[in-house]
Amino acid sequence: SASPAGYVGVAPPPMSAGAPLGLGGRAPTFSDAASALFAVASPRPIRDVDESARTFPGLTSSLHLLSGDWARGELDAWTQFEPPAGLAALLGGTTWAENVLSRDPPCLSLRTSQADVHPRLCEGTLHAGTSAVREPQLPAHSWDSQAALPDFRLQDDIRFEGPPEGNEVAIKTQRLGRLFLDVINKVRFPPSAPMEFSWNISATNRRIRAPADLVGSLPERPFKLLDNRRDVPAAQPPSFSQHALRPEQLRSLSWMLAREGHGGAQATNEVAEHEPFVAEWRRFWRPGEDAEGMNTEASQIVPGARVRLQPEGSGHVFSCSSKQPVLASDLPSCTGVVLSVCSMSDTALVEFNAGPGGQRLQCPTEDLDFIDPGGMECGCRVRIAAHVRNPTFGWGGVRPGMVGVVLQGGDILTVKFPAHAKWKGKRDELERADDSGTQAMKRPSLMVDLRVRATYQLRGGILADKVGYGKTATTIALIDATRDSVTPPIPEIDQGSFIPAKGTLVIVPSNLFEQWINEIAKFLWDGRPLRKSLVKGWSPAGCPVKLFAMSNVVPLTKVSAYELAQADIIICSYRLLFSNVYSDRRTELSGGGSSFAGLMNTTRELLAGKGRVRSGRKGADMVRRWEQLQFPLLEMFHFKRLVYDELHELEAFDTQQQNTLQSFRSHYRWGLTGTPPLTCAGAIFMASLFRVDLPGDLAPKPRAQYPDLSVYEGDRLLAETAGRFLDTCARQNTADLPHIKLEEHVIVVRHTREERALYLGQAHDAPDVSSPDAFQTEEGTQALERLLKLCSHFQAGGEREMVGSAQEECARIGDQKERRIVRARNKMQRCWRVIALLQDMRRRMAGRGDAPLAWRAELDELASTFAKDSAGEAAVKAAEACTKEERAVEVQCASDFIDALEQHRPRDAALLAHLGHLDGKKGYSENWATFADKKLPAKELHSLLVGQGREQAQNLRELRDATTSLEFFRRTILALANDNSPETRSCTICFGENLPLTQIAITPCAHTFCVSCITAIVDRLGRCSLCNQPLTSRDIRPLADEIVLAPDASSPSASSSTAPPPITKDEIDKLERRKGNDKYGTKLAAVVEKLQQLRREDDSAKVILFVQFDDLKRKVAAALKEFGIPIVQLQGSVSQRDGVIRDWQHNPSSKTFVLLLSLEQSASGTNLTAASHVVFLHPMLAPTPELAVAHEMQAIGRARRHGQRKSVVHVWRFVTAGTVEQALTERHQSELWGAERVRQQASAGAAVAPTDAP
């Protein structure tokens, strides 16, 4: 293997005896190492191998050095790179690790990742380095900003050695170190062992976009977890004699013991070594046409160059006359001359000597080989000769050594240089760039490929046993089986920075806090009432384990760090870690900030006995040693074991919360979840909680809160790494619950006409839930949330102004839309006054007449477009209003403008800067009066007018949109009410009138067409023929499909899988019974009816009702209470929540039979086997089907689990037909929905299409 010997052009510092790394006895800083690596100096004498080995102790004789500054290897072969001592501190050494630990890692989110979109092929572009011309960007603190860096020019940094036919290649050590630093610059967690660096340089061409092993097919996802069926069951733990584990639990325990190194099936006191997990990070650089050297073949494909068509090319060669494809094998001669080049399409027009198609073919440049004629003809690579000091026509930005391509020959050559596209110079001032002495060599294109392998000693893993199979009991068994085992030493990187703790820290959701304590008492203390026996959080005397449990921060404020370090088990809730008191204490102990690095510094000082921090929550006692510290933080300890319960819920936490969870230190780490996210993004998220960095290069884009994890779904290397991580660190049991059947039911609900109108008014503003970008923006997600809420209740928001029925809500929404028009018109009016004020300021300038009107070009063009009849009625009305407001302002006095602008805040940033600070409480009159007295230059006033012209154009669009929204809402209501007016029953394309509802569609732009006409227009143009608003096929739906049938009506047949299922006689009867009970809408009336039916049929039945959104949950609670259905919710403190669950679960005589839970926040972990019915008010809304189904499975698992006494658990899914709920159910429960369609079609009987008779 080849490795570099030293730094380019830098003399090593003198070394004293025992001085580390030759830095005068002090440890090198990150800046020292970077400065030494990147300093640029004049060339120094060449050093041989022996001198370099003496200069940098630790280098072995296997290092292959080239002139002391070059690392040598073979072309197309991996070569190991072992940084010398000073560079090692920067590349993966202690200095680098400390720098990584000083940064808080970014927060991750699976909600912003469209992990359900799984590409089949990978092109490897995720690992492409930055441009060959620009230096890779690093944070300011990552290297010495004073160190100058040379440009990245591959022709200077890489060269061939030996004979021309050889394959030896060399790269500058300086450049290699710089590129490796770029690879590891964004690593979030330092590995457990030194990283392995290797490099490879290979010949390439334009068709090769990435290294071959980074491209190709991708594995299927979601990933499949390995099961434990082949694991040998472990022995029953010592304390589990009365409550023995089941066989599948013992197999899981065996795997957990092996992952920790305790011997697997038979626990031992010794900790054995096991194979670590290795992550691979890659980065490659391939020079492009913009590279300094212009050393690709494509850069030589210029007009006038002779080229050859490659026989094995892409085949995308077309005849210019027939426009038909031509194969290279069909050409008698495959050489020709380039006539022109199109850079946009990367094609060239080539005239060949013979062949079909008039001898002129359009060819991809990647399919052409340049034929070098020698000399300095078109396409040849040249540079300014070394003897030239002052070129005849000047340098023109071209530097000595810069390589260009000849565009035009002759005595005066035209050359394309990177710094000058058409540089001219005399022929004798240039020389060929590939001349080396007397022998010409052609240099191939090169690709630099770097590989870093990072080793993580991961002890622990993800216990992914299915929901309800006893992961809590298995984890307690692990604690019991290893109670006497030897705790490994703290890793070197963490020594002296954390307080050693002997116990296991278990972090749980608040609703599972008491369940964990009860399970510990059940298995380890003969089922005694441990929860009520806790004294200030501590287990009582006589308990076999020293337990410290805290549902809130109070017990922690009264405990010392020494006491906490002696606990066997510590249980706390996630909520405690993010409470205000705990956060304030973190800020205090971190030195005034929230950085985890500051807390580590405080812990180091306390461990050294040199600290000075306040002890306890209150008081002024200062302590120096860690043993004396009261109210310590859990992040200060290095625990024996760390357990994240309900691991999948943690991705909903914000940045500070996730940073806290990632910063915990322990020898063993475990995550418990029955529904792990099995995608690349999910693996990255879970591995991060284990302090393992799978991608190695993860950072949010500018102005983004989270890194985009969806891009990793299409990466082959990351998919393979994620799969290995799950194979290594995750297991799932193989048992089933055959004695507890699961029966799922779908209850189809249909909107009333008013509810449908409200839904459609929101639907045309929301994205398609199945589109890849549906959840990419906060606005899109919120629009889908409102849409889903409207499926369950006619009022998506507005709890402050609750209405009594859907009819009242229609009136309220109509008023809102009218007020939106008034607001838009007021904005327009005030903007005209600002424009008039600016024009008046211009007229008051000496010697100036009326202001030129160039500033309003954009506004006039838009107004002219809107004024045309083809733009639509709403646009015409908006244009008329704009003209009317302008004329109204023209007759006003300038003095009236100021008062009218009292509450006007312009959007233009330049005008806002002139106005100064705007106080909304006092009004803006004084600001506008001061501004009106200013004397501004004419140029600046014109710029402000241009800004106001753009603002007024935006106001005009908003007025058009507001008018369109109101028109669409009104027309939809009229159409759903079977209105027979011409405007709702005619087509504006074919002019058909009195059309049946089955042939009418209203577009989101409020225009009415017959279905056949608008379908043809959208297919051909993709827009409305009247106003040019973009439309898609999903915007076209016959009004008959939107009408809820009256009880005596029949249903249209529905053959399409996306159409609503046909209405049945039973549904018609139910619709009749629900009349008058519409205060809370059709859906909630149906839920009330089902709950009453379940209780009538079984007076012991208990139901869990899941709702995703808090505001909708409050409406559900109000509806159930009003209809006399007793419910209970999880509210208040942890102890109050535990009391609610305990009473509901264990009190069979309780009349409260409905437990209302959050589908998103309360679906995990809780044992609720008293329920035999699970009701979903609506499908789960999540970015991916996998995530949504995982939440729903967690919810079902609350009831269907070991301990369920009923033989059947029923799941009731309420779905509103023809809405986003139906689309989600089709995605998540396709088989169930298909069966429901078949059932309803069979029950529809004599259903026919609705009549359109007036």
Side-chain angles (χ1 to χ4, degrees), residues 303-632:
R306 291 196 60 79
V307 294
R308 177 184 295 106
L309 183 63
Q310 300 169 359
E312 69 284 0
S314 66
H316 300 141
V317 179
F318 291 88
S319 168
C320 293
S321 57
S322 65
K323 306 299 181 183
Q324 297 297 316
V326 177
L327 298 178
S329 57
D330 296 336
L331 297 175
S333 173
C334 293
T335 63
V337 177
V338 177
L339 301 180
S340 62
V341 177
C342 178
S343 59
M344 296 294 292
S345 60
D346 274 339
T347 59
L349 179 61
V350 183
E351 183 170 21
F352 289 91
N353 298 334
Q359 300 180 347
R360 291 190 175 186
L361 304 179
Q362 197 76 22
C363 310
T365 55
E366 64 181 22
D367 289 353
L368 300 173
D369 286 330
F370 172 69
I371 301 175
D372 193 346
M376 297 185 187
E377 306 303 325
C378 291
C380 294
R381 300 172 64 248
V382 297
R383 58 173 171 251
I384 299 176
H387 67 272
V388 176
R389 295 291 178 262
N390 294 302
T392 303
F393 301 103
W395 288 94
V398 178
R399 298 196 303 270
M402 185 179 289
V403 178
V405 172
V406 177
L407 298 179
Q408 185 174 346
D411 294 335
I412 304 297
L413 299 180
T414 301
V415 183
K416 179 182 179 182
F417 283 108
H420 198 299
K422 293 184 178 180
W423 185 91
K424 294 184 182 296
K426 293 184 177 180
R427 176 181 287 267
D428 58 5
E429 294 176 339
L430 297 166
E431 63 183 11
R432 285 178 58 90
D434 51 4
D435 288 343
S436 178
T438 59
Q439 182 181 9
M441 294 176 56
K442 181 179 178 180
R443 181 177 185 180
S445 297
L446 299 175
M447 181 186 298
V448 180
D449 190 5
L450 303 187
R451 179 178 66 193
V452 179
R453 286 178 172 166
T455 300
Y456 290 94
Q457 194 64 253
L458 200 167
R459 295 184 179 275
I462 301 167
L463 183 61
D465 288 354
K466 295 180 181 178
V467 177
Y469 284 77
K471 293 182 288 295
T472 301
T474 306
T475 305
I476 295 172
L478 174 67
I479 296 173
D480 186 47
T482 60
R483 198 183 306 176
D484 299 326
S485 64
V486 178
T487 301
I490 295 178
E492 181 180 358
I493 189 64
D494 290 332
Q495 287 180 8
S497 301
F498 296 90
I499 301 171
K502 59 174 289 189
T504 296
L505 173 63
V506 183
I507 315 177
V508 303
S510 299
N511 56 302
L512 301 183
F513 178 78
E514 186 167 323
Q515 182 172 308
W516 265 89
I517 297 176
N518 293 338
E519 291 289 285
I520 290 174
K522 171 184 175 181
F523 290 106
L524 303 185
W525 204 23
D526 301 328
R528 300 183 189 181
L530 181 58
R531 178 70 175 95
K532 296 181 179 180
S533 303
L534 295 178
V535 180
K536 295 182 180 181
W538 289 100
S539 56
C543 183
V545 292
K546 193 173 185 179
L547 171 70
F548 183 67
M550 38 190 170
S551 60
N552 56 53
V553 77
V554 174
L556 185 62
T557 62
K558 301 177 180 180
V559 73
S560 70
Y562 178 80
E563 293 172 325
L564 201 62
Q566 302 304 311
D568 295 321
I569 303 176
I570 302 168
I571 300 179
C572 78
S573 65
Y574 292 111
R575 178 183 293 185
L576 179 150
L577 299 175
F578 315 134
S579 64
N580 292 333
V581 176
Y582 194 90
S583 298
D584 292 343
R585 182 62 167 169
R586 182 190 295 113
T587 301
E588 179 186 2
L589 294 181
S590 299
S594 59
S595 171
F596 185 69
L599 185 60
M600 290 176 61
N601 290 332
T602 301
T603 308
R604 290 191 194 101
E605 294 174 353
L606 289 170
L607 287 168
K610 300 178 181 179
R612 182 173 173 78
V613 297
R614 189 172 62 85
S615 181
R617 180 180 179 184
K618 299 178 181 179
D621 293 340
M622 307 297 289
V623 298
R624 291 185 175 276
R625 300 190 59 82
W626 70 271
E627 297 93 340
Q628 305 166 339
L629 179 67
Q630 279 198 331
F631 194 5

Side-chain angles (χ1 to χ4, degrees), residues 797-857:
E799 291 182 275
R800 295 182 180 178
E801 43 181 330
M802 292 288 291
V803 295
S805 66
Q807 291 91 333
E808 293 181 18
E809 178 67 2
C810 282
R812 190 182 72 85
I813 293 296
D815 290 342
Q816 278 188 349
K817 293 181 180 295
E818 289 178 349
R819 289 197 296 270
R820 179 185 172 189
I821 293 177
V822 172
R823 288 195 300 269
R825 190 154 182 166
N826 287 340
K827 285 183 183 179
M828 180 178 289
Q829 185 183 70
R830 292 194 293 266
C831 189
W832 277 126
R833 288 187 169 91
V834 174
I835 291 172
L837 178 63
L838 292 172
Q839 291 178 315
D840 184 66
M841 292 172 67
R842 280 187 61 101
R843 282 190 291 268
R844 285 190 279 111
M845 295 178 61
R848 303 292 299 183
D850 291 339
L853 301 181
W855 57 269
R856 58 181 298 163

Side-chain angles (χ1 to χ4, degrees), residues 941-1222:
L941 285 171
H942 177 74
S943 176
L944 293 175
L945 279 168
V946 171
Q948 289 306 294
R950 294 196 188 101
E951 184 169 329
Q952 192 67 301
Q954 181 62 27
N955 292 335
L956 180 58
R957 295 187 185 93
E958 291 180 1
L959 181 58
R960 186 272 313 268
D961 294 342
T963 306
T964 298
S965 179
L966 178 62
E967 287 294 319
F968 174 76
F969 187 69
R970 285 177 172 172
R971 289 194 180 189
T972 301
I973 291 178
L974 291 174
L976 293 179
N978 287 338
D979 177 63
N980 292 314
S981 60
E983 65 175 355
T984 59
R985 291 279 185 151
S986 60
C987 176
T988 53
I989 297 178
C990 65
F991 303 106
E993 297 182 353
N994 287 327
L995 297 173
L997 292 178
T998 54
Q999 298 181 23
I1000 298 176
I1002 297 180
T1003 63
C1005 49
H1007 294 131
T1008 306
F1009 304 94
C1010 66
V1011 174
S1012 57
C1013 288
I1014 188 59
T1015 300
I1017 289 294
V1018 170
D1019 289 343
R1020 185 161 52 92
L1021 303 178
R1023 56 182 173 82
C1024 175
S1025 60
L1026 297 182
C1027 65
N1028 291 327
Q1029 178 171 325
L1031 297 175
T1032 64
S1033 57
R1034 66 186 290 263
D1035 296 317
I1036 305 171
R1037 191 176 181 87
L1039 280 174
D1041 291 350
E1042 309 296 352
I1043 296 177
V1044 176
L1045 303 176
D1048 59 346
S1050 55
S1051 169
S1053 61
S1055 59
S1056 171
S1057 61
T1058 59
I1063 194 167
T1064 64
K1065 180 65 169 59
D1066 182 55
E1067 283 186 277
I1068 294 176
D1069 294 339
K1070 288 180 180 179
L1071 287 170
E1072 184 66 29
R1073 289 196 303 269
R1074 292 170 190 162
K1075 283 186 175 181
N1077 295 332
D1078 58 352
K1079 180 176 179 180
Y1080 293 96
T1082 308
K1083 169 78 77 71
L1084 293 186
V1087 171
V1088 168
E1089 183 178 328
K1090 174 53 66 176
L1091 294 176
Q1092 292 171 337
Q1093 175 191 346
L1094 294 177
R1095 195 64 171 179
R1096 284 195 306 269
E1097 295 174 353
D1098 182 2
D1099 59 3
S1100 66
K1102 289 193 175 183
V1103 180
I1104 311 174
L1105 175 56
F1106 284 102
V1107 182
Q1108 184 173 356
F1109 310 106
D1110 289 339
D1111 56 344
L1112 181 58
K1113 190 168 67 170
R1114 288 189 287 270
K1115 294 171 184 174
V1116 173
L1120 297 184
K1121 289 178 181 178
E1122 184 162 332
F1123 284 102
I1125 296 179
I1127 66 166
V1128 67
Q1129 302 183 62
L1130 294 184
Q1131 296 175 334
S1133 64
V1134 174
S1135 59
Q1136 291 172 325
R1137 290 167 178 248
D1138 289 339
V1140 168
I1141 292 176
R1142 185 168 57 251
D1143 181 73
W1144 193 85
Q1145 173 76 357
H1146 301 292
N1147 186 357
S1149 61
S1150 174
K1151 298 298 182 182
T1152 304
F1153 71 97
V1154 177
L1155 177 60
L1156 184 59
L1157 292 181
S1158 168
L1159 179 56
E1160 194 167 25
Q1161 300 173 356
S1162 303
S1164 301
T1166 318
N1167 185 349
L1168 299 173
T1169 51
S1172 56
H1173 296 271
V1174 176
V1175 175
F1176 292 107
L1177 182 68
H1178 57 79
M1180 174 73 184
L1181 182 66
T1184 68
E1186 293 87 357
L1187 185 59
V1189 172
H1191 277 278
E1192 293 177 359
M1193 291 302 298
Q1194 284 281 354
I1196 296 171
R1198 300 312 101 221
R1200 187 175 185 261
R1201 60 194 299 137
H1202 286 286
Q1204 173 60 250
R1205 297 183 179 182
K1206 297 290 182 72
S1207 60
V1208 179
V1209 171
H1210 295 270
V1211 177
W1212 304 90
R1213 299 178 184 273
F1214 286 81
V1215 180
T1216 305
T1219 66
V1220 65
E1221 287 190 342
Q1222 179 178 331

